[in-house]
Amino acid sequence: ETSWEPPAPAPAPLEPGGSPAPAAADGVLPAGWEEPLVEAVKTWFMQSEMEALVHEAVAFADRYCDEFEPELQEHKLVYTQRHKEFRQLFEDKLKAFLATLGYTPEHFYIAFEKCVEKQDQGAMEMAGIMWCCLDYEFFCNIMCERKRDKLRA
């Protein structure tokens, strides 16, 4: 753990096209970098990637849902492993997007936390959707539902 604190919020410079300014070569972040970064991720997640992520989630569920056995009413180790793989799909996409902006996932988590603490409505909505998509219980329910749908077809 470190005592380092990001700079105080201020209007952040934007690159042409509305992207947040990346960290300088020396790693120093521009003042007010948090909100534009979270906004860029929100736009990417909600507008650009949502449909692709849904398609990937459905394909993942189709591939692995047969391993889930809701009638047992217990969770197998393989469920945790599949959930971890599923989360990794999303995290890899987020990491790649952040890299195009010159940021890391750690930058995003710091910025995201600050925006949620400020009760930023857009950040809170995105947090709710991301939490739901990445939550273990929700994941297991979706996998079981997908298995039932396959069996009915």
Side-chain angles (χ1 to χ4, degrees):
E1 194 160 310
T2 178
S3 62
W4 176 82
E5 283 291 319
L14 294 179
E15 295 293 299
S19 298
D26 61 4
V28 175
L29 296 167
W33 60 276
E34 299 95 341
E35 288 180 31
L37 176 59
V38 171
E39 189 60 35
V41 171
K42 185 177 87 171
T43 299
W44 167 80
F45 180 70
M46 304 291 272
Q47 296 174 12
S48 304
E49 276 304 303
M50 186 65 78
E51 187 174 335
L53 288 168
V54 167
H55 288 295
E56 283 189 44
V58 169
F60 186 93
D62 285 345
R63 199 166 39 251
Y64 298 113
C65 69
D66 294 327
E67 297 174 350
F68 287 73
E69 300 178 67
E71 62 279 358
L72 294 180
Q73 297 187 355
E74 65 179 49
H75 292 257
K76 296 180 177 181
L77 180 59
V78 70
Y79 299 1
T80 304
Q81 293 166 333
R82 293 297 180 223
H83 180 247
K84 190 174 183 179
E85 291 171 28
F86 180 75
R87 287 178 60 126
Q88 194 64 50
L89 289 173
F90 172 75
E91 290 171 6
D92 289 347
K93 284 187 167 284
L94 176 62
K95 184 178 180 180
F97 174 72
L98 290 168
T100 68
L101 300 176
Y103 289 95
T104 66
E106 291 75 20
H107 289 123
F108 173 67
Y109 299 140
I110 291 167
F112 194 48
E113 184 177 336
K114 284 188 170 227
C115 289
V116 169
E117 285 173 0
K118 289 181 187 177
Q119 302 294 308
D120 176 283
Q121 193 61 37
M124 291 174 68
E125 288 173 14
M126 185 172 62
I129 293 170
M130 285 180 169
W131 174 255
C132 187
C133 292
L134 300 176
D135 178 65
Y136 176 77
E137 289 296 326
F138 181 78
F139 169 79
C140 289
N141 289 335
I142 293 297
M143 296 298 279
C144 292
E145 183 178 313
R146 192 68 182 164
K147 181 177 182 176
R148 283 190 292 272
D149 290 347
K150 278 178 67 176
L151 293 173
R152 282 187 211 128

